[in-house]
Amino acid sequence: MAAGLTRATWRCASRCGRLLAASAVVVLVPCTAPALGQSTSGLTTGVERDISRYRWLATLRVDDRFGSWNIDAANHFISDAFILFGDRLSIRDENRFRLQADGPLGTAYRLTIGSTLGWFSLSRVFSANTRIGLRYAAGRNLWIEPRIGFALDRRPGAQIGTNPSDLRADAGPLYGAALRYTRRGTSSWRLDAAGAATWRLITPRRANDLLLTATATRNVNESRLSTTIYVSSARRDAYQAVSFLNRSEGTLRSESVEATRSDTLQLSGRMTTPLGSGFTLSGALGLGGNRRTVRTFRAPDESLFFDTDFTRRILELETDLSYRARRVDASVGVKGGVSNEERNLANREDLTAAQAAQKTDLLRQADFDKGYLELHARATHSPLAFLTLHVDGAASILRHDTPAINPDDRDEQFLTGRIGTRIRFSKHLATELSLFTTRYKTVYLKSARSAENNVQRAMRFRPAVVWTPSDNTTIRVTSEVRATYTIDDFVLPGRAPRDQSARELRYELEADQRIATAMRTTARLTFSDLRLGRFLDDAFAEIPFDTLQTVSGWLQIHSDGALKTSIGLRLFVRSDYNRSTSVSYVTSGTDDAPVRSTIARPGRERIAQIGPTATISWPLRGRTELIFDGWLVVQRVTQRLYGDLPDAQRETIRRAGRTGTRTIIPNLSLRAVWNF
């Protein structure tokens, strides 16, 4: 396997290296043109190794002036190689190109050129759009730009059976328009509007895009009012196989065109006004809707297909009253909203009654009406110079209504709160105490799911100490105790209770020490002990069934000079109890062809990882920079089984569990940034 992995690695490195070199040669050509003024162009190349994935990337960007022309272009190339089982390679290449250019054409006109290109090897999709526009400045505040161009989209058609689908190269004209309007009267109000629309007639398919945004703001004394409108419409056509219900129609065309159109409208407004004496009132209103339709074209008359309509409506309202003084910062508010989703069958008349009813019921299962109401408040108070108190909380309720066919009809209640304090004993020592509580209750209103009604309560206590003995040293020690209890409302006859508890004890240590002007060391150590169990509510006790212990640490030395480096060591150990822990051991055979067996028992599995880390940022001459990031993981997985073991293989099984498996996982990332 190691030899096969090496051969696969060499093949993937050779192939993707050639792809990267070819991409770099192509994208470097625009940079040879003479430039006037300061250039912000550059090239970024890199390679990454992550377990069984290799990635090569190259990004070129050009943002410059060439004579009287403005050029903004970028090309992104990514090549991924995955090493799969059986010494197989899976290659995925992607390339995205974008170009925006404009130059003067007289005093009131500008010529614009735009182009986008995308290529995706895995899906065999190639898409390109090129347009030319004539921008007319109708004044200082308005310009209008009609556009015309050409569009090409090549992608596989519908796959029929196991045969690879043929490529469909659809091309046609592109036309559209864009505009921008900005009006600023005095310092009290302003209006900004922008829009663009594009239609692509790539016969037999269509692709449309429409986007319009407008924002109006007005200031009256110290009050501020803003309103925003957002309108968008998009259509995409895709090849689809004729429904599998039409397999017997051998003479019919094997594919149709499915058109998906999505229209969105959003309105929002926000108001802020001071009330005096430190009080401020603010409010926001949001209204939105979306309609998505799916229609089928070019399908045989005898074929069976389903056209659907989807509608979503949203209304949200929020208001807050805040107070700010010298030592107090507080606010209280309310927030609420309603939303609705509906799905309908559009071609019901073309279907039989049974087919229409079946599809309608399937669509209606996802419909819902939802409403929620939330009250929230927060306050921060500093009664003394060394003491700060903080409290916040929220209470919300949600109602989720569904049709009779869907049992997901429920109410949700959520309560949360936090109390915290910070005490600074001196400029070197401070403590922080925080207490978090939550209560979450779910009630299903239909009997089919009423057995899932439950209440979850959680509490966390998190004290911390921050010690800064000098300007060069900072130490933070944090501990946390967390308890979570989930209780069902009732238990169905014949079923075991599902009440659970989760308790966690956690310690964190963070330290930062500056050794010299441009050198410091950081360390972080974390320990966590999580215990899960079956909870006995009446006796407030538990029956443990799992324990998860985790230890992690990271020690680093940083150099912050011209050559930025970071060298460290990472450690991670996890010990987990499992009711079915498997151990693989050798029963017979030879060293070259061993016969292995597997045994499963309750036991504990331990995963230990350790390895060095390094990061280097190396600026070279000019504006070029090399960035290296690497980490090596040496992992060992061992098992310890509990219970009885076969007498003949007892020692062999225990030795195999203690030996475990050892894996070396190298990871690296190397990038070069060339700024021209």
Side-chain angles (χ1 to χ4, degrees), residues 86-107:
D87 192 20
R88 295 185 297 111
L89 284 179
S90 176
I91 307 295
R92 180 181 63 188
D93 299 331
E94 295 184 6
N95 193 87
R96 301 173 185 265
F97 174 77
R98 174 188 56 82
L99 170 66
Q100 295 285 342
D102 65 89
L105 195 64
T107 57

Side-chain angles (χ1 to χ4, degrees), residues 395-417:
S396 66
I397 186 169
L398 179 144
R399 179 67 183 264
H400 190 274
D401 294 328
T402 60
I405 195 173
N406 187 353
D408 191 28
D409 197 358
R410 66 186 186 275
D411 289 347
E412 299 179 10
Q413 183 189 72
F414 184 66
L415 303 174
T416 181

Side-chain angles (χ1 to χ4, degrees), residues 288-349:
N290 174 259
R291 184 173 185 268
R292 186 174 67 245
T293 62
V294 178
R295 297 293 183 266
T296 302
F297 301 103
R298 294 172 55 85
D301 296 336
E302 300 84 353
S303 62
L304 176 64
F305 57 89
F306 303 101
D307 291 340
T308 58
D309 293 335
F310 167 84
T311 304
R312 175 186 296 164
R313 308 175 188 89
I314 299 176
L315 173 63
E316 292 183 326
L317 179 64
E318 179 180 3
T319 181
D320 283 278
L321 178 65
S322 61
Y323 173 75
R324 179 168 295 181
R326 182 168 174 266
R327 295 181 179 272
V328 179
D329 185 5
S331 69
V332 60
V334 59
K335 181 179 181 181
V338 293
S339 61
N340 164 267
E341 287 190 8
E342 293 181 358
R343 295 157 181 83
N344 295 295
L345 187 63
N347 63 332
R348 177 187 297 270
E349 295 78 6

Side-chain angles (χ1 to χ4, degrees), residues 585-597:
Y585 61 97
V586 178
T587 56
S588 60
T590 63
D591 294 339
D592 296 334
V595 177
R596 308 189 67 88
S597 298

Side-chain angles (χ1 to χ4, degrees), residues 13-30:
S14 300
R15 182 189 184 280
C16 294
R18 292 194 299 270
L19 288 173
L20 180 62
S23 175
V25 171
V26 172
V27 299
L28 278 174
V29 173

